[in-house]
């Protein structure tokens, strides 16, 4: 018979309480796996609570192990929250995929699974589903007002909010749309219904959840960290959890994409093979028909000019300059 482990026991606490009568802080971890060498793998867990009740917010990061910037953003937010939280509670899982992180891999390398295609998880399922289950139940049990899942996109990309297609729960989705506009990044609607992501699975349960792509992956980009910190701090201040900081530096986004919901696209893809040279930068607005990139053969002969199919903003370059027929060259938020 399987023993039922209580949630309280699931958390292996390294409790740390700050000596401040109005703020409670807990940094601890949850056991997720005992390795074959008997070493323990853990999920780092963070929680800050004010004695004044208020909204409950979750920040999650690094579900894809090579998307490292979000963890740093959470560290910065918590550093300031420890002194400045006014009401409510903020929870975080700063490193949801420690196994992928240590191998610079998107996936859980032990089982070659994408953790963000494994939600809401299963207590008795695969390794990824078991980890997803622990994350999902912990979040759900706190009945949060908002969950922000922090990702990083291609190596050369700008920050943007990625909105899931509506999974049926009207009320949570309306809230998410409202929050997404307050973040100050371009808002892009994902075209495919990516079921089994953390945000989509939470939305299905009626919990408002948003994915934010915080720019470049693999290596921490300090400018992206600053922009993400300001965006999240701004949102926390809107909710009354903290006071707003004066004049935060924000991403400057074109009026053409402000307050709009853009459509995600990777079209036009390349039709030939060769080396890609880019003609526009991430963040630029491009017009229909505008040349975006040129593809050359090894002798320098122009094989193809890739043009914009629609008016939109360039979200990022593909992770390599190698083109094959059908490979993506850039991603866009089409207006
Ligand atoms: Zn990701």
């Amino acid at each position: 018979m399987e023993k039922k482990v209580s949630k309280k026991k699931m958390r292996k606490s390294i409790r740390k309480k700050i000596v401040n009568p109005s703020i409670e802080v807990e940094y601890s971890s949850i056991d997720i796996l005992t390795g074959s060498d008997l070493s323990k793998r853990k999920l780092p867990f963070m929680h800050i609570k004010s004695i004044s009740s208020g909204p409950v917010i979750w920040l999650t990061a690094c579900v894809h192990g090579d998307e490292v910037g979000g963890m740093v953003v959470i560290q910065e937010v918590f550093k300031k929250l420890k002194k400045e939280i006014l009401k409510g509670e903020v929870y975080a899982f700063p490193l949801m995929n420690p196994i992928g992180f240590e191998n610079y891999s998107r996936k859980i390398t032990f089982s070659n699974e994408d953790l963000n295609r494994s939600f809401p998880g299963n207590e008795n399922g695969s390794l990824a589903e078991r980890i997803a289950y622990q994350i999902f139940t912990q979040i759900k049990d706190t009945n949060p007002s908002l969950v922000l899942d922090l990702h990083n996109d291609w190596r050369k990309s700008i920050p943007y909010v990625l909105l899931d297609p509506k999974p049926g729960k009207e009320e949570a989705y309306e809230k998410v749309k409202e929050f997404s506009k307050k973040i100050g990044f371009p808002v892009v609607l994902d075209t495919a219904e990516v079921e089994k992501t953390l945000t989509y699975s939470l939305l299905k349960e009626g919990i408002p959840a948003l994915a934010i792509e915080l720019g470049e992956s693999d290596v921490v980009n300090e400018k992206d960290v600053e922009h993400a910190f300001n965006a999240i701090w701004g949102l926390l201040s809107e909710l009354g959890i903290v006071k707003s900081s004066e004049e935060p530096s924000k991403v400057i986004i074109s009026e053409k994409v402000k307050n709009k919901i853009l459509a995600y696209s990777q079209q036009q893809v390349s039709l030939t093979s060769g080396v890609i040279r880019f003609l526009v930068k991430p963040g630029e607005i491009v017009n229909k028909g505008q040349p975006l990139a040129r593809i050359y053969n090894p002798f320098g002969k122009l094989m193809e000019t890739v043009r914009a199919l629609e008016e939109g903003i360039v979200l990022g370059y593909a992770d390599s300059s190698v083109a094959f027929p059908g490979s993506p060259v850039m991603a866009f938020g089409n207006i």
Side-chain angles (χ1 to χ4, degrees), residues 278-318:
F278 297 98
L279 302 171
V280 293
K281 289 200 168 69
E284 260 182 60
I285 303 286
V286 294
N287 297 311
K288 190 175 174 176
Q290 185 178 333
L292 303 171
R294 294 207 170 102
I295 299 171
Y296 297 88
N297 79 5
F299 300 107
K301 186 179 181 231
L302 178 65
M303 304 300 289
E304 184 189 345
T305 300
V306 180
R307 292 174 187 277
L309 291 187
E310 312 228 9
E311 186 185 35
I313 184 167
V314 178
L315 300 175
Y317 294 163

Side-chain angles (χ1 to χ4, degrees), residues 29 62 66 70-72 103 212 219 235 256 264 301 317:
S29 52
C62 220
D66 55 348
M71 177 166 34
V72 177
N103 292 284
I212 314 181
V219 174
L235 209 55
K256 285 203 165 170
Y264 185 84
K301 186 179 181 231
Y317 294 163

Side-chain angles (χ1 to χ4, degrees), residues 221-246:
N221 175 322
E222 293 297 335
K223 203 77 209 159
D224 288 342
V225 170
E226 188 189 323
H227 287 146
F229 173 86
N230 290 334
I232 292 169
W233 200 260
L235 209 55
L236 294 178
S237 74
E238 287 254 359
L239 293 161
I241 295 172
V242 296
K243 261 209 313 230
S244 68
S245 43
E246 293 125 37

Side-chain angles (χ1 to χ4, degrees), residues 89-102:
E89 290 172 66
V90 182
Y91 287 90
F93 280 131
L95 177 57
M96 289 191 281
N97 180 4
I99 299 156
F101 174 71
E102 289 175 351

Side-chain angles (χ1 to χ4, degrees), residues 63-64 66-67 106 116 150-153 213:
V63 69
H64 293 133
D66 55 348
E67 300 173 14
R106 175 183 177 91
N116 206 32
L150 311 181
H151 290 251
N152 293 91
D153 202 5
E213 299 286 349

Side-chain angles (χ1 to χ4, degrees), residues 161 163 180-181 185-189 253-263 311 334-335:
V161 175
L163 202 58
S180 71
K181 287 182 183 158
F185 296 160
V187 180
V188 182
L189 180 67
I253 62 168
S254 159
E255 288 299 326
K256 285 203 165 170
V257 296
K258 229 179 222 175
N259 296 320
K260 290 198 175 109
I261 294 179
L262 312 170
E311 186 185 35
N334 288 332
I335 297 166

